[in-house]
Amino acid sequence: MARAFHWLIPHPFLTLILAVVWTLLQNEISAGMVVFGIILGIIIPWATSVWWPDTPKAFKLRKMILYSFMVMWDILVANVQVAWIVLTVPNNKLKPAWIVIPLELRQPEAITVLAGTITLTPGTVSADLSDEGHSLLVHVLHTDDPDAVRDEIKTRYEAYLKEIFS
Amino acid sequence: MTAEIVGTYATSLFLLIGSGFALVGAIGLLKFNDSMSRMHAPTKVGTAGIGMLLLASIVHSSLLGETSIHELLIMAFLFVTAPISANFIAKVNIHQKACETPPDPPRDETWSTLNVPDSDPDPDPANQ
């Protein structure tokens, strides 16, 4: 039974997301659309499963939800900070910097989430990954202390993601 | 105060905050000097701006009695796609040397953007 379930729904989480997104796209809840969403949610992961060879073995959903709330709060706070920088710091006083973050995360999914988080929190943009994937290149808009920014990203986001994906 | 009045005030407040953020994003795009710093303002301040405008839309539609949560989907798509476009702009900047050259990575040889095989011809005729 468990094997049949796994064969039919290799990515239960993706199935759920696809069904919810389909229902949201209709902008109204009707039984027919929910059923169609579930059908899509089964067909799409099945058809694309060839491109998902190494799905993360462990994934802590509850921590991920907490993490996304933390990130949303950080985005709000940092938006105000960047708006303040844009409006008050003159161009010649602006101190942009490259920082290099050595990565402890190994899973591509985890690194993607970290890079997305860094880009979404204003003031930092993740620009590139080293060729073997051991460090992340980040551009900071305005900072006096690049090392502090690096340490904050490592302790606040990377440590959290390590717990989620382990 | 009825719910209608509170809702109207809330909608206007969200609209004002959202358009304020969008304005700051546009100012940042015009103000900064180099393309890397320029990229910061619109790609990021924009997310808060658009988030607030969509929140206003949700409040307004539920006020009219036609509750719509489409907007959550727009926000989700925006949050997933914004980092990718920002990443591509950054990669183009690194390639075109429109910014300071990034420091070398500590453990690996080079950044993946700069890791071009020797056999690949440079598409820019100026460099040949």
Side-chain angles (χ1 to χ4, degrees), chain A residues 21 24-25 27 75-76 79-80 82-83 85-87 89-91 94 96 98 100 116 119-137 139-141, chain B residues 21 24 27-28 31-33 36-37 39-41 44-45 47-48 68-70 73 77 79 83 86-87 90-91 94 99-103 105-113 115:
Chain A
V21 165
L24 276 177
L25 271 176
N27 215 8
I75 289 174
L76 271 182
N79 259 300
V80 177
V82 169
I85 292 174
V86 167
L87 293 178
V89 179
N91 272 344
L94 198 71
W98 288 110
V100 176
T119 301
L120 280 176
T121 41
T124 49
V125 171
S126 49
D128 209 349
L129 198 66
S130 67
D131 54 357
E132 306 276 339
H134 285 117
S135 24
L136 196 66
L137 180 67
H139 189 265
V140 192
L141 177 61
Chain B
F21 272 122
V24 172
I27 291 175
K31 181 191 147 192
F32 291 135
N33 287 327
M36 273 314 272
S37 310
M39 189 179 82
H40 281 276
K44 256 64 58 50
V45 182
T47 50
S68 143
I69 40 174
H70 248 146
L73 211 58
F77 285 147
F79 271 44
N87 187 243
K91 275 173 183 286
I94 294 174
C99 51
E100 276 180 60
T101 319
R107 280 178 66 186
D108 301 331
E109 234 169 87
T110 182
W111 299 106
S112 49
T113 306
N115 187 12

